[in-house]
Structure formats: structure tokens, C-alpha cells
Amino acid sequence: MSGHGTPIPMSSHASKGLKGQADVPGDKSISHRSLILGAMCVGETTITGLLEGEDVLDTAKAMRAMGADITRDEDGTWHVYGVGVGGFAEPDQVIDCGNSGTGVRLIMGAMATSPIAATFTGDASLNKRPMARVTDPLALFGAQTVGRSGGRLPMTVIGAQDPIPVRYEVPVPSAQVKSAVLLAGLNAPGQTIVTEREATRDHSERMLAGFGAEISTEVTNECRIITLTGRPELKPQSIAVPRDPSSAAFPVCAALITEGSDVLVPNIGLNPTRAGLFTTLREMGADLTYENEREEGGEPVADLRARFSPDMKGIEVPPDRAASMIDEYPVLSVVAAFAEGQTMMRGVKELRVKESDRIDAMATGLRACGVTVEEGEDWWSVEGRGIGGVQGGATCASHLDHRIAMSFMVLGLATTKPVTVDDGSPIATSFPIFEDLMGSLGADIRRD
Ligand code: S3P
């Protein structure tokens, strides 16, 4: 299965002594939001450190199709000349968001309260993913949607002519849904109030405040209540996108399971709504330290140092940590295979509706490599076999999912026999320099 042109089979071979510095790309979540919010203010927003992966480039194309002027300097600085809140133009072509759930859901939210129509599509993975989670709340603003059965793309959104503000409790822990509602609320007169039971990544809230919107978050024992006042005049910003902790996870985990490794991953955002993996790894006994801890742009940042960790133990990952590491469970399951004892992961059913069913994809590949994995709808567990205990030797399906492909490439660095993925092309959606960067550390990853 491929939606990214020709499939790229890749294999990963036993490696030792990963060493050096891993400069991972910009944060995907913040990159999408920078382009979308930049497009929603009048004037010039400049962005440095933007992730130039396929997902984000598709969002840039979509914002251009809706009237924003977006350019890139040779040095990688991006300029967004926005149209203002409510100023989107109707696109004259179908908007193709490729593989990106974040892109399509945030853009749908952003345009749902403008008097335009837009038709969205994606690749084979995105066109299977549930959209009712965003179209339900967008209907409350007055938007209409017509999609395929089951609320799937391709789908047309007809924005509300006279949007009304909304009070909405997000029924699943999802920053994409929360953000879609907040972005829609920008062009609704009055207060839009979003409640979430579990804290999800809060980049939209922080960035909306940075762009000058009136937004506040009340935290109670049970929930977070976010109140946004509509129709602000957003002010263009100069944004330095921090490096992506979800991408940092791959060189970090590779170093932990590969004998003799010592890798530095500088400038990683440790926003508590994103850093759950690193907390979990440290609880497992990983030699993972935070150096040069500091604050940058209002976010906690550190340089991560990961060293080979032969004595990691399986743990029970607290379910209330799931949202803060939702994209990192695939690579955590790889580390768990090299720990001693069982790692239990509960409260994770959202993993089943990502770019692939990530529990199924990882469980199938890990089992083929000799690891015992058990699963239920909302949980899975991995029986650790210790360093040197995982056989490998299988070809694993990436299911058009970048994080599945990269996780299996990390696995193969420490298995006895090589691990292959049928298609590594989706890696370009979020981490286009993955092969070069891992190679520069000494990882033996090849295109077959
Ligand atoms: C994201 C939110 C998460 C995450 C995705 C990025 C975002 O999805 O998996 O990679 O930028 O808001 P959900 O909101 O569906 O959990």
C-alpha cells in the first residue's frame, strides 16, 4: 500500500556505538499552527525552523489556496502574509492534505466559520480516518459538511454564513479537535468555550495568546476549560519553531537500546503536554538526562543526552499520561522489547485511529520479530526480552504511517537479524532527514 509514490523498502541492521549530535527538525504541531495562524492575521508573520515535511508543506499549499501569500527564503525563513480572521478566499481546487490529520482537521476548523466552501481529500490513510469528531462541533457553529459514509474524506465543508459561538466538551482526548473548535471560534462573535477532561497538547492556546487573541484556561480537578473571545484582530508574529520532541524520540530510543551509544539531542521542547515519553523512559531506568535546562519562548527546553541503557525494566505506564506521549507509544514498544519484564500501556484506544491502527501495526511486526505482545481495544502489553534477546528477521508493514516505519527501523538496530519495512516513504511526512541523521550517528539503515 502506498500513497506517497513508489514504495521505498528499507532495512535496519545491528549497529553499535551511536555517537554524536542529532539535530531533529522543527515541531510538526507548531509548524502547522504557525502557517494557519499566520494566514489568519493581516500582515507578515515570519517563521524560522519550520518543519519542511510533506504534512506541513501540504498545509502551506492549502493556506495559499485560501488566499494567503506564503514565500520561503533560501535560508529557510518562511513569510506568511495573511488574510485576517474571516478573510479566507474560496479555494478553486480540492485541498489535498496528504497524510495529515492535523492539517485537515485544523484547516476545516479555521475555515468553518467563513462564508466559503472547500473540499478536502487525502491519501489512502487519511481518507480512512474519522472526521465526525471535528464535523460534529463545527456543525454547532453553523457549518455544513458532506462527506463519504462514516464521516470520511473526501468531504466538502460549507462554512457558516452567520457563525454562532459554541460551548463544547471534547469527547475524546484530542488536541486536533480542541484546536479545530478554537480556530472556528476565532470568527464567531462572542465567547467559544471548550472543555477537555484530559489535558492534550496546548500549543493552540499558547500560540493564540501569542498572536493577541483573548484566551484563558481554567484548570479544575476534573477538566480544563478554555475560553476564547471571537473576532480578535490577530497580530502577525515572528516565530522560532522549537525542535520536535516526537522526532527526538527516535534517536533517543535508538541510543538507549544500542550498545555503546551516547547521543545528544539538543533544543528539545519539554512542554509537559508533550514530554510523557521521556518521563516514562526515565522511570524504566533509561540513562536519559536533561542538560542545559532553560525556558525559550515560554516553553521549557533542554538538551537531551541518551546513553545505552542495558538495565531498563518494564513498567505500567499511567493511563493519564497517554495524551502527553500519544505519538510515542510505537517507539516505546520497541524500547519495551529490550527491557526486562512487562510494559503495560492502558488508556490508549486513540492509537487505533492514527495514521494507522498503531497497536495492530506494532503488535504484528513485533510478534514477527519474536516479541510477545498482547492487546485489547484500549490497552496493549509488551514482554521485554532484554538487550540481545530480540531476534528480528521480519518484514514489517508500515501502513502509510511514518512513526511505524521509523519505529521498526529503530528496532532493527538492536535485533540479531535485520528488520525490514515494506515502505519507508511516509517518513518524509514528518522527518525528511531521518535516514541521513541516523546514518550520521552510525545507524546502519539502508534502502533495499
Ligand atoms: C496533534 C495532535 C495529536 C497527535 C498528532 C498531532 C496536533 O492528535 O497525534 O500527531 O498537532 O494537534 P489527536 O489530537 O488526534 O490526538
Side-chain angles (χ1 to χ4, degrees), residues 28-29 33 102 105 133 173-176 201 326-327 350 354 403:
K28 182 155 73 72
S29 294
R33 287 161 173 79
T102 308
R105 291 181 175 132
R133 52 178 57 202
S174 169
Q176 292 176 2
R201 64 192 68 194
I326 196 68
D327 290 334
E350 277 297 300
K354 295 292 177 187
R403 299 200 201 282

PDB file of all heavy atoms in Angstrom, residues 28-29 33 102 105 133 173-176 201 326-327 350 354 403, ligand 1:
ATOM      1  N   LYS A  28       6.186  19.488  14.440  1.00  0.00           N
ATOM      2  CA  LYS A  28       5.124  19.386  13.423  1.00  0.00           C
ATOM      3  C   LYS A  28       3.871  20.132  13.869  1.00  0.00           C
ATOM      4  O   LYS A  28       3.270  20.872  13.096  1.00  0.00           O
ATOM      5  CB  LYS A  28       4.824  17.909  13.149  1.00  0.00           C
ATOM      6  CG  LYS A  28       3.783  17.660  12.083  1.00  0.00           C
ATOM      7  CD  LYS A  28       3.958  16.306  11.429  1.00  0.00           C
ATOM      8  CE  LYS A  28       3.558  15.144  12.320  1.00  0.00           C
ATOM      9  NZ  LYS A  28       2.101  15.029  12.519  1.00  0.00           N
ATOM     10  N   SER A  29       3.473  19.946  15.111  1.00  0.00           N
ATOM     11  CA  SER A  29       2.242  20.593  15.594  1.00  0.00           C
ATOM     12  C   SER A  29       2.366  22.112  15.513  1.00  0.00           C
ATOM     13  O   SER A  29       1.441  22.817  15.074  1.00  0.00           O
ATOM     14  CB  SER A  29       1.986  20.196  17.055  1.00  0.00           C
ATOM     15  OG  SER A  29       1.716  18.824  17.146  1.00  0.00           O
ATOM     16  N   ARG A  33       0.418  25.032  12.983  1.00  0.00           N
ATOM     17  CA  ARG A  33      -0.289  26.155  13.615  1.00  0.00           C
ATOM     18  C   ARG A  33       0.316  27.494  13.207  1.00  0.00           C
ATOM     19  O   ARG A  33      -0.388  28.498  13.090  1.00  0.00           O
ATOM     20  CB  ARG A  33      -0.270  25.990  15.135  1.00  0.00           C
ATOM     21  CG  ARG A  33      -1.223  24.861  15.609  1.00  0.00           C
ATOM     22  CD  ARG A  33      -0.861  24.382  17.010  1.00  0.00           C
ATOM     23  NE  ARG A  33      -1.800  23.438  17.584  1.00  0.00           N
ATOM     24  CZ  ARG A  33      -1.853  22.122  17.294  1.00  0.00           C
ATOM     25  NH1 ARG A  33      -1.032  21.596  16.401  1.00  0.00           N
ATOM     26  NH2 ARG A  33      -2.739  21.340  17.898  1.00  0.00           N
ATOM     27  N   THR A 102      -3.713  16.297  11.330  1.00  0.00           N
ATOM     28  CA  THR A 102      -3.626  17.610  11.968  1.00  0.00           C
ATOM     29  C   THR A 102      -3.948  18.695  10.953  1.00  0.00           C
ATOM     30  O   THR A 102      -4.758  19.601  11.213  1.00  0.00           O
ATOM     31  CB  THR A 102      -2.218  17.849  12.553  1.00  0.00           C
ATOM     32  OG1 THR A 102      -1.879  16.748  13.385  1.00  0.00           O
ATOM     33  CG2 THR A 102      -2.158  19.129  13.348  1.00  0.00           C
ATOM     34  N   ARG A 105      -7.786  18.626   9.876  1.00  0.00           N
ATOM     35  CA  ARG A 105      -8.753  18.955  10.933  1.00  0.00           C
ATOM     36  C   ARG A 105      -8.618  20.418  11.361  1.00  0.00           C
ATOM     37  O   ARG A 105      -9.616  21.107  11.593  1.00  0.00           O
ATOM     38  CB  ARG A 105      -8.573  17.999  12.114  1.00  0.00           C
ATOM     39  CG  ARG A 105      -9.016  16.569  11.742  1.00  0.00           C
ATOM     40  CD  ARG A 105      -8.866  15.633  12.904  1.00  0.00           C
ATOM     41  NE  ARG A 105      -9.379  14.299  12.606  1.00  0.00           N
ATOM     42  CZ  ARG A 105      -8.721  13.165  12.847  1.00  0.00           C
ATOM     43  NH1 ARG A 105      -7.508  13.204  13.375  1.00  0.00           N
ATOM     44  NH2 ARG A 105      -9.270  11.999  12.571  1.00  0.00           N
ATOM     45  N   ARG A 133     -15.505  13.602  14.445  1.00  0.00           N
ATOM     46  CA  ARG A 133     -15.044  14.249  15.679  1.00  0.00           C
ATOM     47  C   ARG A 133     -14.811  15.756  15.495  1.00  0.00           C
ATOM     48  O   ARG A 133     -14.855  16.503  16.477  1.00  0.00           O
ATOM     49  CB  ARG A 133     -13.782  13.555  16.203  1.00  0.00           C
ATOM     50  CG  ARG A 133     -12.695  13.428  15.172  1.00  0.00           C
ATOM     51  CD  ARG A 133     -11.417  12.777  15.694  1.00  0.00           C
ATOM     52  NE  ARG A 133     -11.623  11.463  16.266  1.00  0.00           N
ATOM     53  CZ  ARG A 133     -10.784  10.885  17.142  1.00  0.00           C
ATOM     54  NH1 ARG A 133      -9.689  11.513  17.525  1.00  0.00           N
ATOM     55  NH2 ARG A 133     -11.019   9.701  17.608  1.00  0.00           N
ATOM     56  N   PRO A 173      -9.837  12.506  23.970  1.00  0.00           N
ATOM     57  CA  PRO A 173      -8.674  13.358  24.241  1.00  0.00           C
ATOM     58  C   PRO A 173      -7.968  13.689  22.931  1.00  0.00           C
ATOM     59  O   PRO A 173      -7.214  12.869  22.404  1.00  0.00           O
ATOM     60  CB  PRO A 173      -7.795  12.486  25.151  1.00  0.00           C
ATOM     61  CG  PRO A 173      -8.221  11.082  24.889  1.00  0.00           C
ATOM     62  CD  PRO A 173      -9.639  11.125  24.418  1.00  0.00           C
ATOM     63  N   SER A 174      -8.227  14.844  22.360  1.00  0.00           N
ATOM     64  CA  SER A 174      -7.659  15.179  21.050  1.00  0.00           C
ATOM     65  C   SER A 174      -7.387  16.673  20.925  1.00  0.00           C
ATOM     66  O   SER A 174      -8.305  17.497  20.930  1.00  0.00           O
ATOM     67  CB  SER A 174      -8.620  14.749  19.933  1.00  0.00           C
ATOM     68  OG  SER A 174      -8.181  15.305  18.706  1.00  0.00           O
ATOM     69  N   ALA A 175      -6.103  16.987  20.775  1.00  0.00           N
ATOM     70  CA  ALA A 175      -5.728  18.385  20.560  1.00  0.00           C
ATOM     71  C   ALA A 175      -6.193  18.869  19.196  1.00  0.00           C
ATOM     72  O   ALA A 175      -6.429  20.062  19.002  1.00  0.00           O
ATOM     73  CB  ALA A 175      -4.221  18.543  20.679  1.00  0.00           C
ATOM     74  N   GLN A 176      -6.324  17.930  18.259  1.00  0.00           N
ATOM     75  CA  GLN A 176      -6.791  18.347  16.930  1.00  0.00           C
ATOM     76  C   GLN A 176      -8.235  18.835  17.005  1.00  0.00           C
ATOM     77  O   GLN A 176      -8.589  19.847  16.400  1.00  0.00           O
ATOM     78  CB  GLN A 176      -6.667  17.184  15.946  1.00  0.00           C
ATOM     79  CG  GLN A 176      -5.217  16.809  15.654  1.00  0.00           C
ATOM     80  CD  GLN A 176      -5.100  15.595  14.752  1.00  0.00           C
ATOM     81  OE1 GLN A 176      -6.089  15.035  14.310  1.00  0.00           O
ATOM     82  NE2 GLN A 176      -3.866  15.186  14.485  1.00  0.00           N
ATOM     83  N   ARG A 201      -2.069  18.420  24.156  1.00  0.00           N
ATOM     84  CA  ARG A 201      -1.062  19.450  23.849  1.00  0.00           C
ATOM     85  C   ARG A 201      -1.736  20.817  23.726  1.00  0.00           C
ATOM     86  O   ARG A 201      -2.817  20.930  23.127  1.00  0.00           O
ATOM     87  CB  ARG A 201      -0.252  19.079  22.604  1.00  0.00           C
ATOM     88  CG  ARG A 201      -1.023  19.013  21.330  1.00  0.00           C
ATOM     89  CD  ARG A 201      -0.217  18.354  20.227  1.00  0.00           C
ATOM     90  NE  ARG A 201      -0.019  16.939  20.519  1.00  0.00           N
ATOM     91  CZ  ARG A 201       0.859  16.141  19.910  1.00  0.00           C
ATOM     92  NH1 ARG A 201       1.657  16.613  18.968  1.00  0.00           N
ATOM     93  NH2 ARG A 201       0.959  14.866  20.237  1.00  0.00           N
ATOM     94  N   ILE A 326       1.154  10.418  23.100  1.00  0.00           N
ATOM     95  CA  ILE A 326       0.320   9.573  22.246  1.00  0.00           C
ATOM     96  C   ILE A 326       1.064   9.133  20.982  1.00  0.00           C
ATOM     97  O   ILE A 326       0.891   7.997  20.525  1.00  0.00           O
ATOM     98  CB  ILE A 326      -1.035  10.278  21.929  1.00  0.00           C
ATOM     99  CG1 ILE A 326      -2.038   9.268  21.381  1.00  0.00           C
ATOM    100  CG2 ILE A 326      -0.869  11.492  21.028  1.00  0.00           C
ATOM    101  CD1 ILE A 326      -2.506   8.231  22.359  1.00  0.00           C
ATOM    102  N   ASP A 327       1.897   9.989  20.419  1.00  0.00           N
ATOM    103  CA  ASP A 327       2.606   9.610  19.190  1.00  0.00           C
ATOM    104  C   ASP A 327       3.841   8.750  19.463  1.00  0.00           C
ATOM    105  O   ASP A 327       4.475   8.270  18.516  1.00  0.00           O
ATOM    106  CB  ASP A 327       3.024  10.868  18.418  1.00  0.00           C
ATOM    107  CG  ASP A 327       1.819  11.585  17.812  1.00  0.00           C
ATOM    108  OD1 ASP A 327       0.797  10.915  17.545  1.00  0.00           O
ATOM    109  OD2 ASP A 327       1.898  12.809  17.615  1.00  0.00           O
ATOM    110  N   GLU A 350      -7.019   5.714  21.351  1.00  0.00           N
ATOM    111  CA  GLU A 350      -6.796   6.693  20.270  1.00  0.00           C
ATOM    112  C   GLU A 350      -5.726   6.205  19.285  1.00  0.00           C
ATOM    113  O   GLU A 350      -5.704   6.619  18.132  1.00  0.00           O
ATOM    114  CB  GLU A 350      -6.390   8.046  20.856  1.00  0.00           C
ATOM    115  CG  GLU A 350      -7.578   8.897  21.305  1.00  0.00           C
ATOM    116  CD  GLU A 350      -8.503   9.290  20.154  1.00  0.00           C
ATOM    117  OE1 GLU A 350      -8.037   9.954  19.226  1.00  0.00           O
ATOM    118  OE2 GLU A 350      -9.683   8.905  20.172  1.00  0.00           O
ATOM    119  N   LYS A 354      -5.000   6.563  14.425  1.00  0.00           N
ATOM    120  CA  LYS A 354      -3.940   7.465  13.929  1.00  0.00           C
ATOM    121  C   LYS A 354      -3.697   7.169  12.435  1.00  0.00           C
ATOM    122  O   LYS A 354      -4.544   6.603  11.781  1.00  0.00           O
ATOM    123  CB  LYS A 354      -2.679   7.258  14.771  1.00  0.00           C
ATOM    124  CG  LYS A 354      -2.857   7.678  16.227  1.00  0.00           C
ATOM    125  CD  LYS A 354      -3.022   9.169  16.344  1.00  0.00           C
ATOM    126  CE  LYS A 354      -3.264   9.604  17.767  1.00  0.00           C
ATOM    127  NZ  LYS A 354      -3.581  11.034  17.831  1.00  0.00           N
ATOM    128  N   ARG A 403       5.498   7.005  11.726  1.00  0.00           N
ATOM    129  CA  ARG A 403       6.046   6.599  13.033  1.00  0.00           C
ATOM    130  C   ARG A 403       6.188   5.086  13.152  1.00  0.00           C
ATOM    131  O   ARG A 403       7.040   4.591  13.892  1.00  0.00           O
ATOM    132  CB  ARG A 403       5.191   7.168  14.162  1.00  0.00           C
ATOM    133  CG  ARG A 403       5.158   8.692  14.145  1.00  0.00           C
ATOM    134  CD  ARG A 403       4.758   9.299  15.467  1.00  0.00           C
ATOM    135  NE  ARG A 403       4.263  10.649  15.263  1.00  0.00           N
ATOM    136  CZ  ARG A 403       5.021  11.731  15.056  1.00  0.00           C
ATOM    137  NH1 ARG A 403       6.336  11.614  15.041  1.00  0.00           N
ATOM    138  NH2 ARG A 403       4.476  12.919  14.877  1.00  0.00           N
TER     139      ARG A 403
HETATM  140  C1  S3P B   1      -1.644  16.668  17.101  1.00  0.00           C
HETATM  141  C2  S3P B   1      -2.461  16.006  17.966  1.00  0.00           C
HETATM  142  C3  S3P B   1      -2.451  14.546  18.146  1.00  0.00           C
HETATM  143  C4  S3P B   1      -1.213  13.913  17.547  1.00  0.00           C
HETATM  144  C5  S3P B   1      -0.865  14.467  16.198  1.00  0.00           C
HETATM  145  C6  S3P B   1      -0.624  15.966  16.295  1.00  0.00           C
HETATM  146  C7  S3P B   1      -1.757  18.144  16.980  1.00  0.00           C
HETATM  147  O1  S3P B   1      -3.593  14.003  17.511  1.00  0.00           O
HETATM  148  O2  S3P B   1      -1.386  12.506  17.450  1.00  0.00           O
HETATM  149  O3  S3P B   1       0.292  13.838  15.669  1.00  0.00           O
HETATM  150  O4  S3P B   1      -0.855  18.783  16.423  1.00  0.00           O
HETATM  151  O5  S3P B   1      -2.755  18.690  17.472  1.00  0.00           O
HETATM  152  P1  S3P B   1      -5.021  13.954  18.266  1.00  0.00           P
HETATM  153  O6  S3P B   1      -5.408  15.336  18.545  1.00  0.00           O
HETATM  154  O7  S3P B   1      -5.958  13.294  17.307  1.00  0.00           O
HETATM  155  O8  S3P B   1      -4.778  13.126  19.493  1.00  0.00           O
END
